[in-house]
Amino acid sequence: MVTHVPAEANGDERGALLSFLEEQRGGIRRAVLGLTDEQAVSRPSASELSLAGLVKHVAEVEQSWIARARGEEPAVHRDQSNWHECFALVEGESVESQLAYWEKVAAETEAFARSVPSLDQTFALPDQPWFPPEGRVSVRWVLLHLIRETARHAGHADIVRESLDGKTAFELVALAGK
């Protein structure tokens, strides 16, 4: 698992953006290492967040942004009435299944980012208050947004994991390396 991005970051802007995104994904993946599903769905801090919910959320968000960039509908539709459902596992879902789904989404993100003619290519967004008011964003913007979104939740995952069993991000890096 990537724990830092090399200075050459795969030689180009696309490679750098994808490498930074993968680095942040790794932080969240490591946060669930060695946990049971029961531990991963628990909410040990003052927050309502669980590690399982964070994994599900970042996978779903990444898929929805890349689908929009491709001009497709997201696999799951969320609105103001059900947005919170992306933070909790439902019947038939497990941490393992969400990690597998996220791995598939990550491969699709990479393939898409490498296939577009230009990172400057833009696409329309729905007219909703949680999207940028300009109504269009570039592929570059989406990749930067996914890095920011994933990094923010990787930080949440660090806190939740440490609250669960005291393991810190550095201990999890060492555990993943074994």
Side-chain angles (χ1 to χ4, degrees), residues 52-71:
L54 287 169
V55 170
K56 180 178 178 175
H57 173 72
V58 293
E60 196 172 289
V61 165
E62 185 171 331
Q63 190 283 328
S64 70
W65 276 108
I66 297 306
R68 284 185 183 92
R70 282 196 208 127

Side-chain angles (χ1 to χ4, degrees), residues 80-145:
Q80 289 178 320
S81 68
N82 70 351
W83 67 267
H84 60 283
E85 292 173 4
C86 72
F87 284 101
L89 299 183
V90 297
E91 177 119 10
E93 293 178 341
S94 65
V95 173
E96 184 179 333
S97 72
Q98 291 304 302
L99 287 168
Y101 175 66
W102 195 16
E103 186 175 330
K104 178 180 168 269
V105 167
E108 291 171 2
T109 297
E110 175 139 358
F112 172 75
R114 294 209 179 271
S115 73
V116 293
S118 171
L119 294 178
D120 294 325
Q121 179 176 313
T122 65
F123 60 94
L125 294 172
D127 184 20
Q128 299 292 335
W130 48 85
F131 289 114
E134 299 81 24
R136 293 190 77 79
V137 294
S138 69
V139 173
R140 179 182 294 103
W141 184 96
V142 167
L143 292 173
L144 290 166
H145 176 71

Side-chain angles (χ1 to χ4, degrees), residues 31-44 49-55 87 89 94-96 160-161 164:
V32 298
L33 275 177
L35 296 180
T36 64
D37 276 0
E38 182 179 71
Q39 289 172 307
V41 299
S42 69
R43 298 182 310 235
L49 296 174
S50 72
L51 292 171
L54 287 169
V55 170
F87 284 101
L89 299 183
S94 65
V95 173
E96 184 179 333
V160 173
R161 178 61 189 254
L164 265 174

Side-chain angles (χ1 to χ4, degrees), residues 1-6 8-26 29 62 66 102-103 105-116 119 139-140 142-148 150:
M1 290 185 196
V2 176
T3 58
H4 68 281
V5 176
E8 69 277 358
N10 295 320
D12 63 0
E13 182 182 13
R14 290 171 206 247
L17 292 169
L18 291 166
S19 292
F20 274 93
L21 179 55
E22 182 56 29
E23 174 194 35
Q24 296 308 315
R25 287 186 195 118
R29 286 188 202 110
E62 185 171 331
I66 297 306
W102 195 16
E103 186 175 330
V105 167
E108 291 171 2
T109 297
E110 175 139 358
F112 172 75
R114 294 209 179 271
S115 73
V116 293
L119 294 178
V139 173
R140 179 182 294 103
V142 167
L143 292 173
L144 290 166
H145 176 71
L146 288 173
I147 293 166
R148 177 182 65 184
T150 308

